[in-house]
Amino acid sequence: MIEDTATRPVLGPPPVRHWPALDISGTDFDPVLAELMREGPVSRIQLPHGEGWAWLVTRYEDVRMVTNDPRFTRAPVVDGKVTRLAPHFKPKKGSLAFADQPDHNRLRAAVAPAFTLRGVERLRSHAQDTLDGMVDALLDAGPPADLVARVLEPFPIAVVCDVMGVPAADRERMHAWTRQIVSSSGGAEASARAKDGMYGWFTETIRSRYGSTDEDVISLLGAAVGRGDITEEEAIGLVGPLQIGGEAVTANTGQMLYLLLTRPALLERLRTEPAARPRALDELLRYIPHRSSVGLARIAQEDVELHGVRISAGDAVYVSYLAANRDPDVFPDPERIDLDRAPNPHVAFGHGPHYCMGAMLARMQTELLVDTLLDRLPATLGLAVPPQEVPWRRSTLIRGPEGLPVTW
């Protein structure tokens, strides 16, 4: 909320807090973020890379306001040196993630048909067949098994490549590129090489599909460029983040299954009560820490007063969806996993114009993975190692298990 400060003096800025890049195992909440939330609704942070400091907004209503208010924009971030988590920051011109209105709606419209409910649902049957084949192979091989390597990683890759229109022969190297891009290991050079490889491939492929009538994303973009609706530069900027989205599904479902495997009562309930799963998935999406630190900043276009603090024009502002999903004013007892929580207006997929375009696709994949694994794997399913020995991704923007060793 934006407060009326006519009767309340504007407060001095809070101190700048350094927020290091933490490698956190399991689904523990980031302790620095928890401390910032306790200190107040508006903080100032300095992340490991970039320059200067930025505001951090953590309360649910404030997060929704900032992400839906045209006074906070993304486009200026591209040419700035905003403090950030990743050492590499080289967004493509035309990227949907950094577009403001009216360009944002124009760019989104070019690929929207692939991400409508109809577009996603027409993939469900084929996706289920693909997943069943992977689970068949898993069961045939027998325990122990790594769920990440055998199912949670290859399945989202297959689905997103189907949506994007990436041929089977190119999927392995596409996955290698996206993994490197979401990792902060290897530094700027490794990320730049991966981006150059991926965007070079997309450039050639989009050019080959001018005039296409197919419904995959690359064909839609090729056709849009051919009609003059968007430029080639914009098409290239659009396509990369959409391809990378499969990495988030792998990480998120890995966290969900880790939670269930370390909480037998929750696992048993979802196994025996399929009707409870849709609501349970929303609660797990609310609870899991999807990412490290924060995502992309916005820049204030004018002075804004929030909770008695003046955010000046030109200041960088971050929101934390993770913090918003733990706001006790919206989610009573937020540290507890409540599979019956209702309502559950979580912001795991974002809010406002930059709400995740692939949210319905991600939700469909998550539903298929959880339903199929709970229904088809034996009731004796459990971790093959102690919980503290499950390996977790390190130096990455997206949190999740590196592997999930199970047995039955």
Side-chain angles (χ1 to χ4, degrees), residues 151-367:
V151 180
L152 301 185
E153 195 166 60
F155 175 66
I157 292 170
V159 173
V160 77
C161 284
D162 283 341
V163 173
M164 298 298 293
V166 178
D170 294 311
R171 293 182 178 185
E172 185 174 339
R173 58 175 172 163
M174 183 63 70
H175 177 50
W177 287 327
T178 58
R179 280 297 299 270
Q180 184 59 59
I181 290 168
V182 301
S183 172
S184 58
S185 65
E189 290 186 4
S191 174
R193 286 194 300 270
K195 286 183 178 180
D196 287 345
M198 183 181 73
Y199 284 117
W201 185 93
F202 278 130
T203 299
E204 292 181 7
T205 309
I206 287 172
R207 286 174 179 172
S208 73
R209 300 189 189 180
Y210 289 176
S212 175
T213 58
D214 291 338
E215 295 182 307
D216 62 84
V217 168
I218 300 174
S219 296
L220 289 170
L221 289 172
V225 173
R227 292 191 304 269
D229 294 344
I230 62 174
T231 66
E232 183 180 275
E233 183 180 56
E234 289 172 332
I236 303 306
L238 260 168
V239 73
L242 296 175
Q243 179 69 47
I244 292 169
E247 300 290 340
V249 174
T250 295
N252 289 349
T253 54
Q255 289 197 59
M256 289 180 183
L257 288 165
Y258 173 84
L259 278 172
L260 294 177
L261 290 166
T262 53
R263 292 162 174 77
L266 297 183
L267 178 63
E268 180 61 19
R269 181 176 177 195
L270 292 190
R271 186 188 297 282
T272 57
E273 295 182 39
R277 293 175 191 170
R279 184 175 292 175
L281 288 184
D282 276 316
E283 175 66 350
L284 294 174
L285 283 167
R286 180 197 71 84
Y287 183 86
I288 61 174
H290 303 80
R291 61 164 300 112
S292 301
S293 187
V294 285
L296 301 176
R298 291 168 172 80
I299 304 296
Q301 297 304 295
E302 60 183 75
D303 292 355
V304 178
E305 292 175 9
L306 184 61
H307 294 290
V309 174
R310 176 174 289 121
I311 298 173
S312 299
D315 285 353
V317 181
Y318 281 103
V319 302
S320 173
Y321 293 121
L322 302 184
N325 280 341
R326 301 288 181 106
D327 187 336
D329 290 339
V330 180
F331 306 99
D333 197 6
E335 306 305 316
R336 183 169 68 93
I337 300 174
D338 179 2
L339 300 187
D340 296 310
R341 188 182 297 275
N344 192 343
H346 66 78
V347 286
F349 292 116
H351 182 69
H354 288 283
Y355 180 83
C356 177
M357 172 168 273
M360 283 191 289
L361 179 65
R363 179 67 188 238
M364 184 267 284
Q365 293 176 80
T366 303
E367 290 172 355

